[in-house]
Amino acid sequence: MPRPATGPATRHDLPHDPPQGLPHDPSHDPSHDPSDGASDAPSVPSVPSVPSVPLAPTPAQTVGPFYGYALPFPGGEQIAPAGHPGTVTVHGCVRDGAGAPVPDALLEFWQVGPDGSLTGAPGSLRRDPVTGAVIGRNGVDFTGFGRVPTDADGHYVVRTLPVTAPAGCPDAAPYLAVCLFARGLLHHLFTRVYFPEHAAAHTADPLLARLPAERAKTLLARPDGPGRYRFDVHLQQAEDGAYEETVFLAFR
């Protein structure tokens, strides 16, 4: 027989089951006393503190990206219109600080038009309107732009028109602008190619006039046969001093 209630219910007489649908947490049970040593929760071992150790920085990436097979387009080296009688050839080698050729560099060339105009003309890189394939330039218009990769020996070649000075720049000597991309370069490099037949204009050129003679020579192409010039690009100075690093420009 159940014992009859003799007074008002106390908290010990109330049911201890949690409301339906809620998990039971002994620590929320008013009748649970954590000091009595009875607990359903597993014990958590303490984790010893570990002294902080300074980490070495992640090394810089010095291999790639590789430009020589991704960005060139057909006829990129033919800046001069096809069959033009005044075409000149500029060629050379790109070398690293150890003097080794860079086989997968990419060079872009810009020059003003024969009239000194800087606007250029579209059409250096054209695509087939049906297939979307790159078909190069039309061979007629002078766009003033070229893009050429180096070969396995680090060599490049472009064929273009003789350079002229930009219109509105009376002190500037004629030059060919160059942008260089290569593995290990986090930023592309800018330089220029000046030509020996404009020696009189070099003395007043705003860039060449500010450079020491030995540094200015790194921007000067040398004759290499009729209508041919050689211009090598050295990414660093040789340890034995055999050659200077090519002058690279910072535009601000």
Side-chain angles (χ1 to χ4, degrees):
M1 294 290 293
R3 183 170 59 89
T6 58
T10 65
R11 66 182 182 89
H12 297 289
D13 298 320
L14 297 176
H16 297 305
D17 293 333
Q20 186 176 2
L22 297 177
H24 177 59
D25 185 354
S27 63
H28 294 167
D29 189 343
S31 63
H32 174 68
D33 184 0
S35 63
D36 62 5
S39 174
D40 295 332
S43 61
V44 178
S46 60
V47 179
S49 60
V50 179
S52 60
V53 178
L55 301 177
T58 302
Q61 173 63 274
T62 57
V63 177
F66 304 103
Y67 299 97
Y69 61 86
L71 295 178
F73 57 90
E77 76 285 356
Q78 299 287 349
I79 306 176
H84 195 287
T87 299
V88 297
T89 298
V90 181
H91 72 105
C93 187
V94 179
R95 297 186 180 276
D96 62 18
V102 180
D104 52 7
L106 186 76
L107 297 96
E108 292 184 344
F109 296 86
W110 294 274
Q111 69 182 97
V112 301
D115 60 350
S117 171
L118 291 168
T119 58
S124 290
L125 192 159
R126 299 185 307 133
R127 295 184 180 273
D128 187 289
V130 177
T131 66
V134 176
I135 58 177
R137 57 183 89 234
N138 61 17
V140 177
D141 298 323
F142 178 74
T143 64
F145 174 79
R147 179 187 291 164
V148 59
T150 56
D151 62 14
D153 299 317
H155 187 259
Y156 74 91
V157 59
V158 292
R159 294 175 177 85
T160 187
L161 298 182
V163 295
T164 54
C169 301
D171 294 333
Y175 65 87
L176 188 61
V178 184
C179 182
L180 173 68
F181 305 81
R183 69 169 78 180
L185 292 181
L186 300 182
H187 299 283
H188 45 278
L189 302 174
F190 294 97
T191 188
R192 289 180 179 180
V193 185
Y194 291 87
F195 294 85
E197 59 265 32
H198 305 125
H202 294 170
T203 58
D205 183 83
L207 172 61
L208 293 178
R210 294 164 51 190
L211 295 173
E214 289 301 314
R215 301 293 291 136
K217 287 181 181 179
T218 68
L219 300 181
L220 186 63
R222 65 178 187 269
D224 189 36
R228 289 169 55 96
Y229 300 88
R230 183 173 183 102
F231 181 77
D232 294 328
V233 179
H234 298 284
L235 298 180
Q236 288 181 317
Q237 183 180 15
E239 293 184 0
D240 59 2
Y243 52 81
E244 289 267 340
E245 177 185 302
T246 299
V247 170
F248 298 109
L249 311 179
F251 294 94
R252 304 184 187 280

